Amino acid sequence: MSTRNFKILIIDDHPIVALGIRTIANKQENTECMVINDPSLMPQTVTETSFDLCIVDLQYPNKDGFTLIEQLHSLSPQSCILIYTMHDEPWIVAKLSHPSFQPYIQGAVSKQADIKELDTAISSLREGKPYYSKEFHELYTHKRIPNHPYKDPASLSSREKEILKLLAKGMSTNEISQQLYLSINTIQTYRKRLLLKMEAKNVAELIYKWKNWF
């Protein structure tokens, strides 16, 4: 009896990176890979061929990765989606953690992680298990605890809310310091206070909770 191949679609606009992903994926048994470097070809590709797993980035020259993922899920709901990206900033993790977006993805690996993690992620998703590298571990945490209680935003001062909004935009401590004309130490103090008030372990979780207020 022949074994059906596990079909993987790789969408990456960098040919060398795509080749590397394909090389890693092809090391697994009964795997068939297809690569497209132009994300605009995705709709036609998934319409013509059914894939078990799609590996995508979050940034393309002429296409927003988040929009691509939503379209991909709509056109090919049976496909698992694995994000493989260099963008692991707190605001990215927070956006991916949002309940409205979480159902679309089953795994995420940072391109800054050991290349072995990509192989592990593919194996895990192939077995029906989600996989997140440490940079995206908050996604796994929030998938397990979808009804996490959030503190009332009314408990925050106007300045704390202001700094929280700037953090959610992806601004660094130095950038916030310059924009608000406050010292770096003052901004760091506000950050620590926000983490304490919101019972958040890190900035990614802090932003995730803030996103769920609105």
Side-chain angles (χ1 to χ4, degrees):
M1 181 182 295
S2 61
T3 302
R4 187 182 74 84
N5 285 343
F6 185 77
K7 294 185 177 181
I8 299 177
L9 174 63
I10 300 165
I11 308 175
D12 199 295
D13 59 304
H14 297 94
I16 294 178
V17 175
L19 177 60
I21 298 173
R22 184 172 192 165
T23 299
I24 293 294
N26 278 332
K27 289 181 179 180
Q28 303 202 17
E29 294 184 359
N30 303 314
T31 298
E32 182 180 337
C33 295
M34 179 182 291
V35 173
I36 56 175
N37 300 125
D38 182 355
S40 67
L41 298 176
M42 181 274 292
Q44 179 181 348
T45 303
V46 299
T47 299
E48 296 175 348
T49 306
S50 178
F51 294 94
D52 300 290
L53 172 64
C54 297
I55 301 177
V56 304
D57 200 346
L58 289 177
Q59 185 175 27
Y60 299 93
N62 301 309
K63 186 75 172 181
D64 172 59
F66 292 95
T67 301
L68 176 76
I69 290 172
E70 292 177 343
Q71 293 177 341
L72 179 56
H73 178 74
S74 176
L75 293 170
S76 184
Q78 79 284 354
S79 302
C80 289
I81 297 178
L82 171 64
I83 294 172
Y84 188 52
T85 182
M86 64 180 293
H87 298 285
D88 52 22
E89 299 90 340
W91 73 271
I92 290 288
V93 177
K95 186 170 183 177
L96 293 173
S97 299
H98 196 278
S100 65
F101 200 84
Q102 277 200 3
Y104 299 151
I105 59 176
Q106 288 70 47
V109 175
S110 171
K111 287 182 178 178
Q112 300 182 66
D114 191 304
I115 192 64
K116 293 180 181 178
E117 284 217 56
L118 179 59
D119 181 54
T120 302
I122 294 173
S123 296
S124 294
L125 268 64
R126 189 168 185 167
E127 295 174 1
K129 302 175 184 177
Y131 186 90
Y132 299 90
S133 63
K134 65 179 182 179
E135 295 83 359
F136 295 101
H137 187 68
E138 287 301 318
L139 297 182
Y140 179 62
T141 301
H142 292 307
K143 277 180 178 289
R144 293 176 60 197
I145 313 174
N147 297 315
H148 188 81
Y150 304 109
K151 291 291 183 181
D152 186 351
S155 66
L156 302 182
S157 68
S158 58
R159 178 66 84 182
E160 287 170 339
K161 291 178 183 178
E162 183 179 24
I163 291 175
L164 186 50
K165 289 179 181 179
L166 295 177
L167 287 171
K169 291 181 179 179
M171 294 181 66
S172 67
T173 297
N174 288 349
E175 290 171 333
I176 296 173
S177 171
Q178 293 173 9
Q179 178 161 326
L180 300 182
Y181 299 101
L182 296 173
S183 70
I184 291 177
N185 287 338
T186 299
I187 301 302
Q188 290 176 334
T189 298
Y190 273 114
R191 282 180 54 151
K192 291 177 181 178
R193 191 182 301 167
L194 284 166
L195 291 171
L196 182 63
K197 283 189 174 184
M198 296 300 298
E199 298 179 359
K201 299 183 182 67
N202 49 47
V203 174
E205 184 176 357
L206 182 67
I207 296 173
Y208 174 83
K209 290 182 175 183
W210 177 77
K211 294 280 188 182
N212 278 270
W213 286 341
F214 304 100

